[in-house]
């Protein structure tokens, strides 16, 4: 069995329930640790292992943690990998520097695993950096609402990721004098992702696009100045 067949088998077998609960946001979520614990017995049966690594990258003058999750076939050495990003805040209330980096790393690692093992996190927002949340998720009754679909869709993009993205876009606007509407159009043209469809899951593609657009706008400005 090749590495792609093994990955397909693992993706099919993997069940990582959202066993954590955020009392403030009133939603359930899964952590990186939850995914890894669910993966271990399946990886053992498939004769494969997972390695996760971090690195710090600079995108649009912002520092991000880039996490790479890699599945390795222990029989052949074949590998498949996926990456995800999380911005490292300069400071965060109640956290020291190492905790800020650690929370960004955990977030990026989780979404790298999501991408590699086809884990869908779009049903509700599950962003949380609080490792002290209770592990048993209560199941409060949900009240039907006419705008339920809109609420679920809006919850896909967590406030913190939205704030990171907004700052990156505003940085391009202020640096190059380009209207936000045009920047959003360029992001859509680069990624194929419309503004209404941006989520935590596809946010890394948007951050990459912001970085590429900065280089594009800078090149265009240099060409204009040379005339």
């Amino acid at each position: 069995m090749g590495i792609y067949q093994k990955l397909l088998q693992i993706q099919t077998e993997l069940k990582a329930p959202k066993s954590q609960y955020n009392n403030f946001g009133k939603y359930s979520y899964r952590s990186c640790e939850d995914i890894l614990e669910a993966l271990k017995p399946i990886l053992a049966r498939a004769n494969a292992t997972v390695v996760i690594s971090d690195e710090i990258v600079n995108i649009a003058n912002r520092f991000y943690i880039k996490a790479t999750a890699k599945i390795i076939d222990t029989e052949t050495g074949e590998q498949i990998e996926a990456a995800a990003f999380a911005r490292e805040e300069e400071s965060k209330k109640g956290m020291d520097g190492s905790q800020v980096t650690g929370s960004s790393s955990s977030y990026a690692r989780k979404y790298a695993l999501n991408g590699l093992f086809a884990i869908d996190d779009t049903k509700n927002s599950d962003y949380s950096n609080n490792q002290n949340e209770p592990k048993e998720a209560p199941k409060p009754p949900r009240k039907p609402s006419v705008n339920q679909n809109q609420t679920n869709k809006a919850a896909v993009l967590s406030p913190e990721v939205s704030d990171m993205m907004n700052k990156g876009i505003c940085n391009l606007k202020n640096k190059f004098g380009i209207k936000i509407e045009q920047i959003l159009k360029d992001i859509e043209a680069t990624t194929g992702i419309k503004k209404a469809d941006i989520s935590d899951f596809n946010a890394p593609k948007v951050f990459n696009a912001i970085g590429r657009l900065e280089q594009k706008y800078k090149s265009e400005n240099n060409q204009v100045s040379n005339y």
Side-chain angles (χ1 to χ4, degrees):
M1 185 183 295
I3 184 65
Y4 286 98
Q5 288 78 14
K6 289 187 177 184
L7 179 59
L8 175 60
Q9 177 182 320
I10 293 169
Q11 289 174 340
T12 303
E13 291 186 27
L14 179 61
K15 299 292 185 293
K18 295 183 178 181
S19 57
Q20 314 292 323
Y21 190 74
N22 184 295
N23 284 321
F24 180 76
K26 305 298 183 186
Y27 56 80
S28 299
Y29 67 99
R30 65 175 64 86
S31 67
C32 178
E33 291 77 10
D34 292 330
I35 298 172
L36 291 173
E37 285 303 311
L39 271 172
K40 288 175 182 177
I42 305 175
L43 289 168
R45 291 194 297 270
N47 291 322
T49 187
V50 166
V51 176
I52 310 176
S53 61
D54 293 333
E55 63 177 304
I56 297 177
V57 297
N58 187 290
I59 301 174
N61 294 324
R62 300 285 185 179
F63 287 100
Y64 295 81
I65 301 292
K66 177 185 178 182
T68 302
K70 184 184 301 182
I71 181 173
I72 304 171
D73 188 330
T74 58
E75 297 175 313
T76 66
E78 291 180 292
Q79 304 176 4
I80 301 174
E81 65 180 44
F85 296 79
R87 200 185 114 192
E88 185 177 44
E89 298 286 354
E90 294 182 4
S91 63
K92 194 167 186 178
K93 186 176 181 180
M95 289 186 178
D96 60 25
S98 61
Q99 289 173 317
V100 170
T101 299
S103 64
S104 298
S105 171
S106 295
Y107 180 81
R109 285 178 173 223
K110 172 186 164 181
Y111 278 92
L113 289 169
N114 282 359
L116 184 59
F117 294 106
I119 301 171
D120 186 6
D121 264 344
T122 59
K123 288 187 179 179
N124 58 0
S125 177
D126 63 354
Y127 179 77
S128 175
N129 286 325
N130 190 343
Q131 299 300 320
N132 296 319
E133 294 288 352
K135 293 191 175 182
E136 292 299 324
K139 297 179 180 179
R142 294 188 176 182
K143 296 180 180 180
S145 171
V146 175
N147 295 322
Q148 185 66 43
N149 290 334
Q150 295 178 358
T151 302
N152 286 341
K153 187 174 182 180
V156 171
L157 184 63
S158 62
E160 191 148 346
V161 175
S162 176
D163 181 59
M164 293 185 227
M165 206 170 288
N166 183 59
K167 289 178 180 177
I169 292 171
C170 287
N171 177 62
L172 294 180
K173 171 182 175 291
N174 296 332
K175 194 170 183 178
F176 301 103
I178 299 174
K179 293 182 179 180
I180 290 180
E181 292 78 8
Q182 183 59 50
I183 295 172
L184 291 172
K185 287 181 180 178
D186 290 344
I187 290 174
E188 181 179 344
T190 302
T191 64
I193 302 171
K194 296 181 179 180
K195 179 183 177 182
D197 296 329
I198 295 174
S199 68
D200 283 6
F201 192 74
N202 58 32
K205 291 183 180 180
V206 178
F207 288 129
N208 283 335
I210 290 173
R212 293 196 298 272
L213 287 175
E214 180 179 25
Q215 297 302 318
K216 176 178 178 288
Y217 296 155
K218 183 177 180 180
S219 176
E220 290 174 351
N221 278 0
N222 289 339
Q223 290 176 5
V224 171
S225 63
N226 288 334
Y227 284 103

